[in-house]
């Protein structure tokens, strides 16, 4: 796995699962706005590559004006500059670790550490710093690739060695034999990030990290996105009283299973048909064509967030 | 009606247990702390606010207060002209084991144990004389061991004191502590021949920010020169700084490169409380060196300083020996997280400059060698900033060298497979690498 930008591997706009995640985040921020969090005045810091999809969404749908994109690849500098969607988007060429200590302590932030490669020591340090330094009310999101690290011949033994080399401080002292099995790797990653966040937030008096999001999805590689807010009792009360905990994608702790984004493959005609029945009652299936009941359940969960793609000849 | 069990302290405890946790050097430093605290009280020095301020005026070293330390296998003597100790203070506070709550006395002495512990640790006979404002006292114990066995009443927890008057001209405000009839353990160390050197080094290091600014310290007639913490700076390299205040403690953090010549033993984190170096050159998991970031020779230029300053010395994260840090201190836990964050760009730069492949000689190394020592107080006075190295990216090569051993048999198999029997081993390496890049991770 290289740290080559995923912007080169995939057309960003055409990653439906990632897009559903972004739209769910927009939804969550709207609910937080209703609960009195001034999201419009937050500063968004992300890793926009040269597509800036999240920047465009957050600016247009949430009204966020202050924005900073971190780009680590010198090679893409000119393309990143060229594709900057709004004048208010600043660019930092360099590492997240250079940005995190300098985040304005007088503002609230949405910081999305949106890595497209597997967890390593640098990511864990970024996450820990961010949890330590972000002002109260700020939202921290971290995305990492949770595919098995290393080559195709590697197995649980090599994966264990990888995580021990990169993250030994945050690993359980005596993991179960199956802990590093392939199916458990998303859990290994979630627990590592959780512990790094807690290590960063622990010394802060009266401030906790409150989990809000835990997404699992795959456009190509399996990814997880963990997120939450730095809170005092006041923020926690406001979140609890808001509509956010009722949202299907909400995760108030990192120990339960992540919310798995599943995007069924549907034609445009099928979607229009299904939409006219949404939100459907439990057990409903379309009378005119056959779909599995689970697919209907998945669709009912995500249809509001599901992007529509069409060819545009410009 | 409940009965009561005794929970009284015993002198034996202080005498036997308390003295085991501290080195002889640190006991002598405790006596020096006592002198410096006199000076701080007497001159009303606002140490937490001042110790990191840059020196603006030249200091006339000859006019500085002096602390003279003499050590031999006969006696340990500390004499100062730091202002003396008021009689009432000596009567009520100086000799108590621990300070009462709300006590405001010193900024270097926090716990009220140093002086007593030093006496117990060092010898069986002690005498202390001090004058201030023309009034003075003499406190003494002719037989410390004998005193420590009498433990029946609170009166037996008192130390004899007699007033002393000193009139006329040349009135000095001074204090002298003499400890004699040294314990065998102490005599042996004194005779070992290295103790005085060790003590000199400890004084030079511990009071680096005090010597030549607030006081002059001599050890057996030799003036101690401060051991400067050599934070480096150049046109291209600027140290990072961060500061915050928590739990009544102001914390200032500085990281960067040490100026050459560098010794690995001097690299690491320096932790200071009210300007006094508590832990020098830490390379352990007390600070940031937690797996996978363990100290390595390539980090030899790494230098970090963490200053903890407070008007209430009990708020500081030091232990009673002032030679270690209380890891559980909340302000220290906060500081460690920020130290990690601040240090990362420095560590990454050093990893780039000194890669594990010794064959490479990236130009970055010259940058690290060219920094010149600067006064930490000048760095501390600047606004917070991250670590800066210019222009590091251009200096880094775009290629790296790969070298490895392969079984001859496998190399031969590749040659046969390619039907190129005369392909050199390095060509085989090149070919197989290119093949992997092309097939497994194409652009």
């Amino acid at each position: 796995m290289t740290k080559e930008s995923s912007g080169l591997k995939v057309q960003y706009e055409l990653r439906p699962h990632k897009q559903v995640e972004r739209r769910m985040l927009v939804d969550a921020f709207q609910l937080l706005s209703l609960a009195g969090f001034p999201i419009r005045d937050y500063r968004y810091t992300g890793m926009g590559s040269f597509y800036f999809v999240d920047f465009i969404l957050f600016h247009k749908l949430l009204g966020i004006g202050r924005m900073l994109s971190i780009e680590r690849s010198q090679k893409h500098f000119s393309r990143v500059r060229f594709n900057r969607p709004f004048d208010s988007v600043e660019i930092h060429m360099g590492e997240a670790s250079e940005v995190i200590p300098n985040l304005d302590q007088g503002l609230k932030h949405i910081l999305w550490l949106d890595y497209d490669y597997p967890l390593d020591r640098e990511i864990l340090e970024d996450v820990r710093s961010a949890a330590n330094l972000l002002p109260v009310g700020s939202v921290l999101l971290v995305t990492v690739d949770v595919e098995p690290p290393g080559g195709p011949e590697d197995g649980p033994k090599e994966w264990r060695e990888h995580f021990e080399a990169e993250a030994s401080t945050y690993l359980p002292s005596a993991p179960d034999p199956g802990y590093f099995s392939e199916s458990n790797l998303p859990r290994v990653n979630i627990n590592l990030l959780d512990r790094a966040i807690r290590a960063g937030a622990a010394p802060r008096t009266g401030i906790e990290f409150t989990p809000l999001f835990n997404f699992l999805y795959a456009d190509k590689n399996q990814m997880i996105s963990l997120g939450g807010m730095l809170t005092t009792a006041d923020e926690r009360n406001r979140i609890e009283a808001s509509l956010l905990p009722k949202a299907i994608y909400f995760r108030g702790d990192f120990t339960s299973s992540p919310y798995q984004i599943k995007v069924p493959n549907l034609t445009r005609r099928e979607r229009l048909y299904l939409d006219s029945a949404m939100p459907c009652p439990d057990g409903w299936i379309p009378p005119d064509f056959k779909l599995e009941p689970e697919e209907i359940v998945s669709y009912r969960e995500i249809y509001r967030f599901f992007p529509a793609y069409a060819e545009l000849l410009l | 009606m409940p009965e009561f069990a005794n929970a009284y302290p015993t002198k034996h405890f202080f005498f036997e247990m308390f003295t085991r946790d501290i080195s002889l050097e640190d006991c002598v430093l405790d006596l020096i702390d006592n002198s410096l605290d006199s000076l701080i009280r007497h001159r009303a020095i606002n140490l937490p606010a001042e110790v990191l301020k840059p020196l603006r005026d030249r200091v006339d070293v000859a006019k500085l207060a002096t602390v003279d330390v003499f050590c031999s296998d006969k006696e340990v003597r500390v004499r100062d002209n730091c202002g003396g100790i008021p009689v009432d203070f000596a009567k009520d506070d100086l000799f108590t084991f621990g300070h009462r709550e709300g006590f405001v006395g010193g900024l270097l002495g926090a716990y009220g144990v140093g002086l007593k512990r030093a006496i117990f640790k060092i010898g069986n006979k002690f005498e202390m004389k001090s004058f201030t404002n023309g009034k003075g006292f003499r406190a003494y114990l002719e037989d410390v061991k004998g005193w420590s066995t009498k433990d029946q009443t609170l009166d037996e927890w008192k130390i004899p004191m007699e007033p002393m008057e000193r009139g006329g001209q040349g009135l000095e405000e001074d204090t002298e502590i003499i400890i004699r009839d040294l314990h065998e353990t102490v005599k042996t160390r004194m005779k070992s021949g290295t103790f005085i050197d060790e003590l000199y080094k400890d004084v030079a290091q511990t009071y680096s920010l005090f010597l030549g600014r607030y006081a002059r310290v001599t050890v057996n007639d030799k003036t101690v020169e401060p051991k400067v913490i050599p934070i480096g700076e150049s046109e291209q390299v600027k140290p990072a700084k961060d500061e915050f205040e928590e739990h009544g403690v102001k914390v200032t953090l500085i990281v960067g490169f040490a100026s050459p010549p560098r010794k690995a033993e001097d690299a690491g984190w320096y932790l200071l409380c009210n300007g006094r170096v508590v832990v020098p050159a830490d390379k352990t998991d007390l600070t940031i060196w937690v797996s996978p970031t363990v100290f390595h020779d390539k980090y030899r230029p790494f230098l970090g300083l963490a200053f903890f300053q407070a008007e209430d010395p009990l708020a500081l994260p030091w232990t009673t020996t002032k030679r270690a840090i209380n890891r559980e201190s909340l302000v220290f836990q906060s500081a460690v997280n920020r130290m990690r964050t601040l240090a990362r760009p420095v560590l990454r730069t050093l990893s780039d400059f000194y890669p594990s492949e010794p064959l490479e000689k990236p130009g970055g190394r010259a940058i690290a060698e060219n920094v010149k020592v600067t006064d930490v107080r000048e760095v501390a006075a600047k606004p917070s900033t991250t670590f800066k190295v210019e222009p590091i990216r251009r200096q880094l090569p775009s290629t790296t060298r790969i070298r490895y051993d392969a079984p001859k048999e496998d190399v031969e198999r590749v040659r046969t497979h390619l039907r190129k029997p005369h392909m050199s081993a390095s060509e085989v390496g090149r070919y197989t690498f290119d093949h992997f890049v092309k097939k497994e991770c194409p652009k």
Side-chain angles (χ1 to χ4, degrees), chain A:
Chain A
M1 179 60 58
T2 68
K3 290 186 184 178
E4 187 67 61
S5 167
S6 59
L8 289 182
K9 294 181 227 155
V10 191
Q11 278 282 337
Y12 260 45
E13 282 96 338
L14 296 183
R15 296 193 297 170
H17 295 82
K18 179 92 185 166
Q19 187 62 9
V20 168
E21 177 189 48
R22 291 191 196 105
R23 303 262 303 243
M24 284 178 167
L25 289 172
V26 167
D27 188 66
F29 293 139
Q30 283 166 340
L31 295 177
L32 287 171
S33 284
L34 289 174
F37 293 95
I39 296 292
R40 186 180 281 261
D41 300 327
Y42 276 44
R43 182 175 197 230
Y44 177 60
T45 300
M47 300 176 171
S49 183
F50 32 78
Y51 293 97
F52 294 100
V53 183
D54 41 346
F55 287 76
I56 296 166
L57 274 183
F58 291 176
H59 184 57
K60 289 195 172 171
L61 300 182
L62 299 171
I64 293 176
R66 282 180 277 246
M67 298 194 280
L68 173 73
S69 184
I70 305 169
E71 177 58 52
R72 69 197 304 276
S73 168
Q74 284 279 320
K75 212 169 77 185
H76 301 144
F77 183 69
S78 62
R79 292 189 69 186
V80 168
R81 276 245 161 264
F82 180 80
N83 287 293
R84 210 162 55 102
F86 313 110
D87 191 48
S88 56
V89 177
E90 294 172 55
I91 309 286
H92 175 85
M93 295 303 299
E95 305 286 339
S97 62
E98 295 155 6
V99 171
I100 293 164
N102 296 320
L103 289 174
D104 188 338
Q105 291 294 309
L107 293 174
K108 294 183 197 305
H109 299 266
I110 295 169
L111 172 63
W112 191 352
L113 301 171
D114 192 4
Y115 308 102
D116 50 18
Y117 49 87
L119 197 71
D120 64 12
R121 60 186 79 177
E122 295 288 326
I123 292 180
L124 288 166
E125 284 296 307
D126 284 345
V127 167
R128 182 176 170 146
S129 295
N132 186 240
L133 294 174
L134 279 173
V136 168
S138 300
V139 174
L140 169 63
L141 284 155
V142 198
T143 301
V144 290
D145 182 324
V146 296
E147 292 292 326
E153 277 105 56
D154 289 354
K157 185 171 159 284
E158 288 79 15
W159 301 333
R160 179 182 183 148
E161 283 164 7
H162 166 83
F163 285 111
E164 276 170 355
E166 294 296 328
S168 58
T169 349
Y170 304 112
L171 282 175
S173 47
D176 297 333
Y179 191 67
F180 293 95
S181 65
E182 185 162 359
S183 61
N184 202 45
L185 289 182
R187 176 44 60 191
V188 171
N189 279 276
I190 291 166
N191 290 353
L192 287 172
L193 288 169
D194 180 25
R195 289 185 74 168
I197 290 170
R198 278 191 284 150
R204 305 181 68 170
T205 316
I207 302 173
E208 284 175 20
F209 181 83
T210 302
L212 303 174
F213 312 110
N214 186 1
F215 294 106
L216 175 69
Y217 60 92
D219 285 301
K220 180 164 168 271
N221 288 2
Q222 265 212 329
M223 312 291 286
I224 54 156
S225 292
L226 259 64
M229 187 186 278
L230 276 309
T231 59
T232 63
D234 173 54
E235 285 79 19
R236 288 194 290 281
N237 289 339
R238 276 194 279 161
I239 291 169
E240 212 170 300
S242 77
L243 289 170
L244 181 57
K246 294 185 186 66
I248 188 89
Y249 52 78
F250 175 80
R251 288 294 181 271
D253 64 77
F254 292 148
T255 47
S256 49
S257 310
Y259 176 74
Q260 203 166 350
I261 300 173
K262 286 186 201 149
V263 178
N265 282 324
L266 298 168
T267 67
R268 195 153 57 97
R269 204 162 162 183
E270 287 164 347
R271 279 192 64 185
L272 287 172
Y273 181 92
L274 291 179
D275 280 355
S276 66
M278 289 293 142
C280 65
D282 290 343
W284 181 84
I285 42 169
D288 294 331
F289 57 94
K290 189 173 179 310
L291 278 177
E292 297 303 321
E294 309 84 72
E295 289 179 291
I296 296 297
V297 172
S298 297
Y299 190 72
R300 188 175 63 177
E301 285 182 11
I302 65 146
Y303 75 96
R304 284 205 305 126
F305 312 105
F306 194 3
Y309 294 115
E311 184 182 27
L312 280 178
L313 298 174
L314 294 172

